[in-house]
Amino acid sequence: MDLQCPAPLSRHETVQMAHGAGGVMSRELTRNVFLPFFGNSMLDMLDDQARISLESGNIAFTTDTFVVSPLFFPGGNIGDLAVNGTVNDLAVGGALPLYLSAGFVIEEGFRLSGLTKIVAAMADAAAEAGVSIVTGDTKVVGKGQCDGIFINTSGIGVIRDGVDLSCNNLREGDAILVSGSLGDHGMAVMTAREGLSFQSEIASDTMALNRMISSILHEVPEVHAMRDPTRGGLASTLNELAEASGKGIVIEEDCLPVKPEVQGACELLGIDPLTVANEGKVVVAVRGDRAEKVLRIMQSHEDATSGRASIIGAVVNEHPGMVIVRTGLGGRRILEMPLGEQLPRIC
Amino acid sequence: MDLQCPAPLSRHETVQMAHGAGGVMSRELTRNVFLPFFGNSMLDMLDDQARISLESGNIAFTTDTFVVSPLFFPGGNIGDLAVNGTVNDLAVGGALPLYLSAGFVIEEGFRLSGLTKIVAAMADAAAEAGVSIVTGDTKVVGKGQCDGIFINTSGIGVIRDGVDLSCNNLREGDAILVSGSLGDHGMAVMTAREGLSFQSEIASDTMALNRMISSILHEVPEVHAMRDPTRGGLASTLNELAEASGKGIVIEEDCLPVKPEVQGACELLGIDPLTVANEGKVVVAVRGDRAEKVLRIMQSHEDATSGRASIIGAVVNEHPGMVIVRTGLGGRRILEMPLGEQLPRIC
C-alpha cells in the first residue's frame, strides 16, 4: 500500500487550500512564513486573541482592507501599504499607534515567494512605525475566488491626554496644510497597472506618518483636525472636513504641491490629481497663527514631505460645507466630492 | 449638452465599483446600508478611527476574515457568523467582548438586497452579544475578483481581573468539557454547498458564547483554559491544547455529542465529525472536581447547548502532546491534528 504522507510546506511553492484549513498545514504556514517576520511575545502564543496591557483605556480603533492591484508597484507593495495605512488612520486621530492585527485572504496557487516578500514588507513597515502585529488570521480561497491576496489590518492606539481632534473643531481663520505632494500613490498604482512609463518613474508615497504627527501634536496644541487624504484624495478629505464642520474651505490652486510627472500622468489619463489617493500625506487644520510652526515641523521630517509641505488654504464662515479653489488668474471653482469611479483598487 | 448626474444609491440594485472609491457613492452606501443597522455614537462620527474609553487597559484583541461559501446556509449567514466568531474568540480568552470593526470586500454586481440581509444579521448578532460595531471599511473589487463578499471582523474586549486562561495552565486531572454537539456548522455549510438533503436539516450552531462563558468564569475560577473548536474541529483544538501544555489528553468516544444527522452526513462524505468546524461551541479544561459545576452552568444555557453539554475526557501526564480516544470496546486510537484539505471555506 502506498500511503501518502503529509507534505511539509517546504515541498510547496504555492499556497494550497489546506494552508487555510486550521490543521497541520495552517500551522506550518504560520510558523514558517508569518512568525519569522512578525514574531513577538504576544503573537508567538498563537492564541485566538492577543492579550495586551495598555497604559490607558482611552484608545483609538480602526480597520482597513487592502485590495490594491497590482500587488507590487513602484515605491511599495500591498504589505507595507496595509501597515502604513492603518498606522496613519490611528495617528490622524491623535493616537499613538501600538498594535495591529493582520487578516489574509489568499488565492490558492499564490506563490509562497510572493507572500514572503509581502510579509517581509509588513514587518519592515511595522518596525519603522514602532508597532507590533500581535494577532492574525489566514484564509485560503480557490483559484479565481479572489485576486491574489487581500489584507485586512486593524489597529489599536492610545489617545494622548489632552488631544481632541475633530472636524467639528474647525474655526474661521484656521489654516489648511498638506504635508507633501499630492497624488503620488494613486498615480504610481495606475501607471503600474496600465503599463505606462514616464521619464521619471512615479513612486507611491506609502509611509507611516505617526512620528511627524506626534511632533506636530506635541509642539502645536492648536491643531484642530487631521485627516489622511487616501481614497478620493484631497477633494474627498476637504469636502468631508467642510461638511462635518459646517464651515467653508478656500484653497489656493497655486499652493497645491503636485509633482510634474504626476500632473502629466493625470492629464494623460484625464484625472484630477486632487481626487487621487495619497498614502503618506496628512492634511492639517490649525489655528492660523500657528500654521508656520506646523509647516516647519513638517519640513523637518524631510523623508515624509520631500520638501513639499505647504499651507494650501483657510477655513471661512462663508459657503458652509463647500470647498472653493482660487485659481492663479483670480477665478474660483467649486471642488466637489468625487463621485468615485475613476480609480478602483488603489489601496 | 446632456450632463450625466450622479446616480443616487436607490437607483442601483447592485454594488458598483464607485461604492468603494471613497467619494459620493461610498458615502451613500455607508449612510443608506451600514449606518441604519450599525449606527452608534462612535460609528456615526464617520472618522477614520473610533475613539473608545475602556475601564481598563488590559484588553484582548482578535481578528478573523470570513469567506464562507455559500454566504447563506441553514442557521445563519456570513454576517452573524462574522460577528459571533470574533465575539467568541474574545470570550474564550477570558475577555468581555465590547467593540468590533467590520471590513467588507464586495464583488461588483453583488445585490444590495443580499448585502442588506447580511448587514442586518450582523446587527442582530451584535445586539444579542452586547457588542457595538464602531469602525468599518468597504472595498469593492471587479466582477470575478472576489467571490461575492468577504468580511473581516476584529474585536476588542476587556480582560476581567484575576482571569488567567492559557493552554499552559492545563494540569493532570483536569476534566475536558464541550458545550454541545459537534460538527453542526461545518456540515450545515457542506450540505448546503453540495445541495445534499437529509431527513432532518442540519443547521449551523453559529452563536455568541460570551454570556455562558461569563457565567462559567464568574462561578468557577478553577477553569484553566478555553478554546472554541472552529476550523479543524475538536481534533485541532485538543491537539493544540495538548501540544501547548505538554500534557496528554484522553477522550471517551462514547461521551462525544454528535447528532445522528451530522454523523450520517459525515459518513456519506467520508469526514470525521471531530475534524469539522463548530461556530457556537466551547471546549473547557477545568480542575476535575469542578467539572460537574461547569456542566450544570452549560446546561442552564439551554439555547447554546441543546442539552448536549458533556464531560468528554481528562488531562493526563502520559503521552505528552498527544490526544488518545478510548472507544466503547476498550480500544484506543490517536486523534491526530487534521492535515486540512477536507472542508475549505467553512468560515
Side-chain angles (χ1 to χ4, degrees), chain B residues 144-168:
Chain B
Q145 293 170 351
C146 89
D147 190 12
I149 185 167
F150 301 151
I151 303 177
N152 176 281
T153 49
S154 300
I156 293 175
V158 169
I159 298 178
R160 295 165 179 81
D161 284 341
V163 169
D164 171 32
L165 300 174
S166 166
C167 302
N168 299 324

Side-chain angles (χ1 to χ4, degrees), chain A residues 20-22 27 48-54 57-59 61-62 65 89 137-139 145 165 231 236 243 340, chain B residues 20-22 27 48-54 57-59 61-62 65 89 137-139 165 231 236 243 340 345:
Chain A
R27 200 172 51 177
D48 288 337
Q49 72 299 117
R51 275 165 273 186
I52 299 170
S53 234
L54 301 171
N58 290 319
I59 67 169
F61 179 33
T62 190
T65 308
D89 276 347
D137 175 61
T138 304
K139 294 289 175 355
Q145 293 171 351
L165 301 174
R231 275 185 291 179
S236 265
E243 192 176 315
Chain B
R27 200 172 51 178
D48 288 336
Q49 71 299 118
R51 275 165 273 186
I52 299 171
S53 232
L54 300 171
N58 290 321
I59 66 169
F61 179 32
T62 190
T65 308
D89 276 346
D137 174 59
T138 304
K139 294 289 171 4
L165 300 174
R231 274 185 293 179
S236 265
E243 193 176 315
R345 299 189 58 189

Side-chain angles (χ1 to χ4, degrees), chain A residues 5-7 17-27 31 45-67 88-94 99-105 134-142 144-147 150 152-156 159 163-168 226-228 230-232 236 239-240 243 337-345 347, chain B residues 5-7 17-27 31 45-67 88-94 99-105 134-142 144-147 150 152-156 159 163-168 226-228 230-232 236 239-240 243 337-345 347:
Chain A
C5 294
M17 290 302 289
H19 284 129
V24 172
M25 284 182 61
S26 291
R27 200 172 51 177
R31 294 202 177 155
M45 300 285 287
L46 294 183
D47 272 324
D48 288 337
Q49 72 299 117
R51 275 165 273 186
I52 299 170
S53 234
L54 301 171
E55 282 184 20
S56 150
N58 290 319
I59 67 169
F61 179 33
T62 190
T63 192
D64 228 329
T65 308
F66 293 82
V67 299
N88 291 344
D89 276 347
L90 292 171
V92 297
Y99 299 106
L100 262 52
S101 65
F104 297 86
V105 178
V134 293
T135 188
D137 175 61
T138 304
K139 294 289 175 355
V140 181
V141 298
Q145 293 171 351
C146 90
D147 190 12
F150 301 151
N152 176 281
T153 49
S154 298
I156 292 176
I159 298 177
V163 169
D164 170 32
L165 301 174
S166 166
C167 302
N168 299 325
M226 288 196 288
R227 286 264 181 155
D228 54 335
T230 55
R231 275 185 291 179
S236 265
N239 273 286
E240 284 169 9
E243 192 176 315
M337 175 78 107
L339 188 61
E341 290 93 342
Q342 292 182 309
L343 297 170
R345 300 190 56 189
C347 59
Chain B
C5 294
M17 290 302 289
H19 285 128
V24 171
M25 286 183 58
S26 290
R27 200 172 51 178
R31 294 203 176 152
M45 300 285 289
L46 295 182
D47 271 326
D48 288 336
Q49 71 299 118
R51 275 165 273 186
I52 299 171
S53 232
L54 300 171
E55 282 183 20
S56 152
N58 290 321
I59 66 169
F61 179 32
T62 190
T63 193
D64 228 329
T65 308
F66 294 82
V67 299
N88 291 345
D89 276 346
L90 293 170
V92 296
Y99 299 107
L100 261 52
S101 65
F104 297 86
V105 178
V134 294
T135 189
D137 174 59
T138 304
K139 294 289 171 4
V140 181
V141 298
Q145 293 170 351
C146 89
D147 190 12
F150 301 151
N152 176 281
T153 49
S154 300
I156 293 175
I159 298 178
V163 169
D164 171 32
L165 300 174
S166 166
C167 302
N168 299 324
M226 288 197 287
R227 285 267 180 152
D228 54 335
T230 54
R231 274 185 293 179
S236 265
N239 273 286
E240 283 168 9
E243 193 176 315
M337 175 78 107
L339 188 61
E341 289 92 344
Q342 292 181 307
L343 298 169
R345 299 189 58 189
C347 59

Side-chain angles (χ1 to χ4, degrees), chain A residues 309-344:
Chain A
S310 309
I311 300 173
I312 60 170
V315 176
V316 297
N317 281 337
E318 292 79 50
H319 52 80
M322 277 175 65
V323 182
I324 301 287
V325 178
R326 283 208 290 236
T327 63
L329 303 168
R332 296 161 69 94
R333 65 181 172 95
I334 297 173
L335 182 62
E336 300 215 59
M337 175 78 107
L339 188 61
E341 290 93 342
Q342 292 182 309
L343 297 170

